[in-house]
Amino acid sequence: MLDYKLLQALAAVVGQSGFERGARHLGLTQSAVSQRIKLLEARLGQPVLVRAPKLAPTPLGQRLLNHVQQVSLLEHDLLEQIPALGEREQRLRLAINADSLATWWAPVTGEFCRQQGLLLDLIVEDQDVALKRMRDGEVAGCICATPQPVQGARSQPLGNMRYRALASPDYIARHFPEGVSLEALRRAPAIVFGPDDQLQHRYLALHGYREPFPHHLCPSSEGFLHLACAGMGYGLIPEQQVTRELDEGLLIDLDTECFIDVPLYWHYWRQGGRTLAAITDQLVNTCSRWLPPITEST
């Protein structure tokens, strides 16, 4: 039988991205956590973690992480039915893209979490790479841009997020006085969320531009918006996030005919228990109020 204290140590080390932080999370010494991982590997006869160059679960470690996370979710269901087993806080660890977190996530899930007494551990991850968090067993659910789920999971379409290329009027007057051109795109500084963000590259490709370009890196949705309003660059910003800025003329389109729709899908474990099923229903039934449906051309 599996020793769940050893599996909890593995989950803490991966979830907290290190032995020291994992030990603090469990209220143990780093040495004790290290010994539990070594004992787990000794019993299994193979490693569950790769220590270098970057700490990461092995394929076996990923399977164990998926298992212990699903067991934890199912335990919540059992505790509700058998209170004598004790009390345990209800918590879900999810990966969500920053733009969803900055726009529709709280209105869609806020009241649900209050009613359910549900606590969330949110990992902010780009929608193009969030699925890796599920594959690595780090999260019970995630929002990403691909419909294909990992093994043992399901996916549900949520809707499209529309991104528009926006900048301040003075920025456009300085860098795009004659409209969008290849030369202007080559010289004008852009704003990119992070190294995994490909929206800017997709936008440039729509204009036939595939060369390097000057850009700021800003891994914050709110900071991204502030940089654009301050005239530091242009960037792809969710339409939902800039209603006031557009109405007040703080931001305008580089070209009104060009935008990018990003489909969003909710991925979740099949055997995730009632809590995960309930938040799935909440997202699927409520997101239509905030996100237009995904079309075949998206």
Side-chain angles (χ1 to χ4, degrees), residues 127-128 145 159-164 199 202 206 236-239 258-265 292-295 297-298:
Q127 65 267 8
D128 289 328
N160 273 325
M161 285 198 77
R162 173 159 293 184
Y163 288 79
R164 290 162 63 174
L199 284 175
R202 289 173 59 184
L206 291 175
L236 278 295
I237 304 177
E239 195 171 57
C258 194
F259 55 83
I260 294 178
D261 283 340
V262 175
L264 297 179
Y265 296 87
I294 297 171
T295 60
S297 60
T298 298

Side-chain angles (χ1 to χ4, degrees), residues 6 8-39 41 48-52 54-56:
L6 307 185
Q8 288 168 358
L10 174 63
V13 168
V14 174
Q16 300 298 316
S17 302
F19 279 85
E20 183 177 352
R21 288 190 291 269
R24 286 201 301 267
H25 180 74
L26 294 174
L28 300 172
T29 65
Q30 183 175 341
S31 175
V33 170
S34 181
Q35 287 300 318
R36 289 187 181 187
I37 298 296
K38 289 179 180 178
L39 180 57
E41 292 179 327
V48 296
L49 286 173
V50 176
R51 273 73 169 178
K54 182 181 178 181
L55 186 70

Side-chain angles (χ1 to χ4, degrees), residues 35-115:
Q35 287 300 318
R36 289 187 181 187
I37 298 296
K38 289 179 180 178
L39 180 57
L40 178 62
E41 292 179 327
R43 290 184 179 180
L44 296 173
Q46 54 184 300
V48 296
L49 286 173
V50 176
R51 273 73 169 178
K54 182 181 178 181
L55 186 70
T58 64
L60 174 60
Q62 292 171 3
R63 293 179 62 186
L64 293 173
L65 287 168
N66 295 343
H67 172 76
V68 72
Q69 190 159 179
Q70 292 176 62
V71 167
S72 178
L73 292 169
L74 292 172
E75 281 181 352
H76 286 304
D77 295 351
L78 193 60
L79 289 171
E80 289 180 3
Q81 299 171 35
I82 312 176
L85 291 176
E87 295 184 1
R88 184 176 177 183
E89 67 181 16
Q90 201 171 26
R91 180 174 291 273
L92 279 179
R93 187 173 174 84
L94 309 173
I96 177 172
N97 60 310
D99 290 333
S100 291
L101 190 58
T103 52
W104 60 266
W105 176 262
V108 168
T109 63
E111 182 61 27
F112 171 83
C113 289
R114 286 193 294 271
Q115 291 178 354

Side-chain angles (χ1 to χ4, degrees), residues 54 98 124-130 133 191-202 213 215-220 224:
K54 182 181 178 181
V124 178
E125 192 66 272
D126 189 88
Q127 65 267 8
D128 289 328
V129 297
R133 296 282 191 169
I191 309 171
V192 176
F193 186 84
D196 295 317
D197 178 15
Q198 294 297 306
L199 284 175
Q200 187 67 39
H201 300 77
R202 289 173 59 184
F213 57 94
H215 61 275
H216 305 281
L217 284 177
C218 180
S220 160
F224 196 110

